[in-house]
Amino acid sequence: MDRPDIPDIVVSRLPIYLRALTRMALEGQPITSSHELGKRLGISSAQIRKDLSHFGEFGKQGTGYQIKFLVDQLRRILKVDTEWAVALVGAGDLGHAIARYNGFSDRGFRIMLVFDNDQAKVGTELSGYLIHHTSELSALISEHHVALAMVAVPAAAAQSVADELVKAGVKGILNYAPINISVPDDVHVQYIDPVVHLQRMTFYV
Amino acid sequence: MDRPDIPDIVVSRLPIYLRALTRMALEGQPITSSHELGKRLGISSAQIRKDLSHFGEFGKQGTGYQIKFLVDQLRRILKVDTEWAVALVGAGDLGHAIARYNGFSDRGFRIMLVFDNDQAKVGTELSGYLIHHTSELSALISEHHVALAMVAVPAAAAQSVADELVKAGVKGILNYAPINISVPDDVHVQYIDPVVHLQRMTFYV
């Protein structure tokens, strides 16, 4: 981590700002304010200004933010001003949906390698991607210097897949399997589990 | 909200505890400690004890937690000791993967209604669910008293779908569309956007 002074919670909000600002830009809007952005996101304007102030001075008092400029800055800060190659492990229903999702490329990511352990799938194509056997995972990921991976395998297989990914040099894992995985300190893990999100709402309903 | 004194961040961790404890129970383990659970999750044992203490006394000093008992308590606290009917809006690739996912039922949720605005899909089945036209959304959701919905539609359609869901009485929306949606204060929204998760890692890699 090259900026140990910035709280993770601040970093975690930047992609949300980037997403909303990108949409405003697409809608043709040139300028926004922390107030307007906050209203759109349900976050206080003070929070937004404080978060952004960690990285520099992006707006002027009274005139707000130039949206296109702020989008460029956020892409640079999050390092998505270049494209990241991503490996996808698991070519089942979820892997299929991920491979066909067209929202990666314009936001900094491109699926480059797809793996599955089902010999019947290996050698076939998934949404244009050749499916490789997971036994090739380590060699191919090392060869292509892929630093990010999405794991869409059953819970029971997730830890061993993560171990392989880490050995191959992957530094960030987006884990769709409903289980916590252990990785070394220099590897980052994010989780997507719809049930966890649903259970975060039922408490209140 | 009936427990306004409990921070959202605490509630957000409970499903993670429940998931890990359920797995331990499945593995046949009868007892755990906050130390062991914390190690598995990368959370400090003090944090876990503090989080749980909001809801009562679940373990004994020196003997740890009875896993099965704690699982039951967490399911009760999160209100997933009964099954919630969930509506799914969007029967594309992602909706397909969601409908086929078999991880909902044993964790408190059951898809009950599926909607799409594509007349070619209406009347066909998606993984055993009859697809209804979104024009029927309001009537069917009200009729079946469905309180939760998953939104797997394109970003441009998400807000109008959310508006319809809210009008029909839905109190919790899990939004897969890559856009923030506005809802009344008594409606809860959770987001799943893989790109946001990937961008939360690239900052550090």
Side-chain angles (χ1 to χ4, degrees), chain A residues 7-201:
Chain A
D8 289 350
I9 185 79
V10 173
V11 175
S12 78
R13 281 189 290 260
L14 299 184
I16 309 291
Y17 301 159
L18 176 56
R19 186 173 73 177
L21 290 162
T22 303
R23 180 146 292 271
M24 288 177 178
L26 279 172
E27 290 165 358
Q29 189 177 333
I31 290 172
T32 188
S33 63
S34 56
H35 180 76
E36 185 190 40
L37 184 59
K39 218 177 145 193
R40 210 180 248 236
L41 297 177
I43 297 175
S44 79
S45 57
Q47 183 73 72
I48 292 173
R49 288 194 300 273
K50 195 172 163 220
D51 285 353
L52 293 178
S53 72
H54 283 98
F55 304 95
E57 191 67 61
F58 300 115
K60 289 199 187 96
Q61 191 76 34
T63 61
Y65 301 109
Q66 298 281 343
I67 292 174
K68 211 179 156 322
F69 174 75
L70 189 49
V71 163
D72 288 343
Q73 295 306 308
L74 285 171
R75 290 176 64 95
R76 182 183 54 77
I77 292 164
L78 292 169
K79 302 187 203 160
V80 289
D81 48 351
T82 54
E83 195 176 64
W84 294 75
V86 185
L88 168 63
V89 190
D93 290 314
L94 179 58
H96 189 87
I98 293 170
R100 284 179 59 89
Y101 180 56
N102 62 12
F104 290 117
S105 61
D106 55 347
R107 295 169 73 192
F109 304 95
R110 182 172 55 93
I111 292 175
M112 190 182 201
L113 293 167
V114 176
F115 300 93
D116 200 281
N117 68 353
D118 180 354
Q119 284 290 4
K121 287 179 184 166
V122 172
T124 66
E125 283 197 359
L126 177 70
S127 189
Y129 303 102
L130 181 68
I131 300 175
H132 300 278
H133 194 270
T134 37
S135 61
E136 294 183 272
L137 192 151
S138 189
L140 285 171
I141 284 183
S142 303
E143 182 188 330
H144 291 282
H145 306 288
V146 174
L148 298 173
M150 293 185 275
V151 173
V153 303
Q159 183 62 56
S160 63
V161 165
D163 293 344
E164 284 290 311
L165 290 168
V166 169
K167 261 197 281 174
V170 164
K171 296 298 178 195
I173 296 173
L174 176 51
N175 180 25
Y176 282 85
I179 187 171
N180 272 72
I181 53 176
S182 299
V183 296
D185 282 346
D186 67 330
V187 178
H188 296 266
V189 183
Q190 291 271 319
Y191 293 90
I192 288 184
D193 179 349
V195 175
V196 164
H197 288 281
L198 290 170
Q199 290 180 346
R200 282 178 184 158
M201 297 191 288

